[in-house]
Amino acid sequence: MARFMSSLWCKVESSGRHLPIVLNALLVFSITAEVSYLVLVEAPFEPEQKKTEWSTMWKAMHLFAQYFMLGNITWNASLFVKTNPSIRGVFLGGDALGQGWRYCYNCETHTPPRCSHCYDCNVCVLRRDHHCVFFGQCVGFYNYRYFLTCLFFMWAGLLYAVVMNAEVFIVILKEGVTFHSVLLLLMPWIMLVSGQVTARAFAFAFIADTCVVGFLLVAAFLFFHVVLMLRGQTTREWYSTRRPYNLGALANIRECLGKYWYICWLCPLIPSPLPGDGINFKVTGSLEPMK
């Protein structure tokens, strides 16, 4: 019985690790489906423009932009999860340990500067930033580019969805603002449970609200990581007043995104080799804490 319960718990725990990924994928594809419907069926929103040649071109351009962002989100997310940021399989060097090296009692090995142990992944991660619960993977030296690019296209996609939904609501507002429509936007769940709206209207209102909230959260998170990148810091180093790895804004971007940083964000297939190895870093100050 104990063995059965242990096996069942392991399966539940394994499934729980993938639950955030499934929920994220469901949310992304739901928003994509809703915006695709708006583009193909509802847009353009002015009646006199619906049967013009410009209407077809407008829809084609919007669909291309939408699925270009979706492709980048899914591809970067996939590469982020598949790329191993840990010290597994990495030769950390010989006995000559430099400044900033530490001993990890969990991994039973010396680890380089900016490397720390993740108790969720149960391994030390090179240039560890944080553990991303949405993907069940640590953000580190080798997959930071995919994480940041995925975050950027999520922000751009949510902004696009917010704009599209805003156009719909502007048309609705032109017809007149009612107490019913305001409650639908602010409290869609209550309106559905009370039977005041159809499931279709609830789905559109709920996705629209999710887009707005998601856009604000992702925008704040993206802004924070862009600031970190420009400062040459990780999330773990944010609270420190010292910035020993700050090489200047341009060099810091190159350290994170690689040699071809100015174009690699357009597509994850564009190679952009990183200038370092995740073990040795250029420093502009002391690594020891100030007394």
Side-chain angles (χ1 to χ4, degrees), residues 226-281:
V226 169
V227 171
L228 286 177
M229 179 176 63
L230 295 176
R231 288 164 58 100
Q233 290 181 309
T234 63
T235 301
R236 289 172 50 82
E237 298 163 351
W238 170 255
Y239 298 101
S240 175
T241 56
R242 298 176 299 110
R243 289 187 281 168
Y245 303 104
N246 185 12
L247 307 176
L250 191 59
N252 290 337
I253 294 174
R254 193 179 294 113
E255 286 284 322
C256 294
L257 301 182
K259 183 179 180 180
Y260 303 108
W261 59 270
Y262 48 87
I263 196 173
C264 71
W265 59 274
L266 286 173
C267 178
L269 292 180
I270 299 175
S272 184
L274 296 170
D277 55 5
I279 301 174
N280 303 292
F281 295 93

Side-chain angles (χ1 to χ4, degrees), residues 60-87:
M61 289 188 296
H62 275 265
L63 288 175
F64 173 79
Q66 179 185 351
Y67 285 96
F68 175 76
M69 290 184 286
L70 176 64
N72 267 285
I73 291 171
T74 53
W75 215 325
N76 278 290
S78 175
L79 289 174
F80 168 74
V81 173
K82 290 181 179 179
T83 304
N84 178 27
S86 72
I87 62 172

Side-chain angles (χ1 to χ4, degrees), residues 85-87 92 100 102 104 110-117 123-128 236-237 245 278-279 281:
S86 72
I87 62 172
L92 297 177
R102 299 175 182 177
C104 178
H110 285 92
T111 57
R114 314 184 85 179
C115 178
S116 63
H117 191 84
V123 69
C124 283
V125 176
L126 296 173
R127 193 188 175 276
R128 181 170 178 261
R236 289 172 50 82
E237 298 163 351
Y245 303 104
I279 301 174
F281 295 93

Side-chain angles (χ1 to χ4, degrees), residues 91 99 184 209 262 265:
F91 179 68
Q99 189 183 29
L184 176 60
D209 291 347
Y262 48 87
W265 59 274

Side-chain angles (χ1 to χ4, degrees), residues 50-277:
K50 284 187 177 292
K51 295 183 179 181
T52 63
E53 183 179 348
W54 168 243
S55 172
T56 305
M57 294 175 58
W58 185 92
K59 291 183 178 182
M61 289 188 296
H62 275 265
L63 288 175
F64 173 79
Q66 179 185 351
Y67 285 96
F68 175 76
M69 290 184 286
L70 176 64
N72 267 285
I73 291 171
T74 53
W75 215 325
N76 278 290
S78 175
L79 289 174
F80 168 74
V81 173
K82 290 181 179 179
T83 304
N84 178 27
S86 72
I87 62 172
R88 291 193 182 110
V90 178
F91 179 68
L92 297 177
D95 298 329
L97 304 179
Q99 189 183 29
W101 283 71
R102 299 175 182 177
Y103 187 80
C104 178
Y105 290 94
N106 297 92
C107 297
E108 298 181 343
T109 184
H110 285 92
T111 57
R114 314 184 85 179
C115 178
S116 63
H117 191 84
C118 176
Y119 291 95
D120 292 299
C121 301
N122 196 29
V123 69
C124 283
V125 176
L126 296 173
R127 193 188 175 276
R128 181 170 178 261
D129 190 275
H130 69 281
H131 183 84
C132 184
V133 294
F134 294 108
F135 294 107
Q137 171 80 297
C138 259
V139 181
F141 178 77
Y142 288 109
N143 62 1
Y144 190 78
R145 166 197 168 182
Y146 304 123
F147 167 76
L148 195 62
T149 310
C150 181
L151 200 61
F152 168 76
F153 279 104
M154 286 180 67
W155 170 80
L158 285 168
L159 175 61
Y160 175 78
V162 168
V163 171
M164 289 298 299
N165 280 282
E167 290 190 29
V168 174
F169 291 122
I170 288 173
V171 174
I172 294 175
L173 292 176
K174 286 181 179 179
E175 298 174 358
V177 181
T178 63
F179 184 68
H180 183 275
S181 61
V182 173
L183 283 180
L184 176 60
L185 286 176
L186 297 180
M187 297 179 291
W189 280 104
I190 295 178
M191 297 292 286
L192 178 68
V193 173
S194 61
Q196 299 295 316
V197 295
T198 63
R200 178 175 176 271
F202 163 78
F204 278 103
F206 177 74
I207 292 177
D209 291 347
T210 304
C211 289
V212 174
V213 175
F215 168 74
L216 295 175
L217 292 175
V218 173
F221 203 45
L222 176 64
F223 176 77
F224 176 66
H225 275 278
V226 169
V227 171
L228 286 177
M229 179 176 63
L230 295 176
R231 288 164 58 100
Q233 290 181 309
T234 63
T235 301
R236 289 172 50 82
E237 298 163 351
W238 170 255
Y239 298 101
S240 175
T241 56
R242 298 176 299 110
R243 289 187 281 168
Y245 303 104
N246 185 12
L247 307 176
L250 191 59
N252 290 337
I253 294 174
R254 193 179 294 113
E255 286 284 322
C256 294
L257 301 182
K259 183 179 180 180
Y260 303 108
W261 59 270
Y262 48 87
I263 196 173
C264 71
W265 59 274
L266 286 173
C267 178
L269 292 180
I270 299 175
S272 184
L274 296 170
D277 55 5

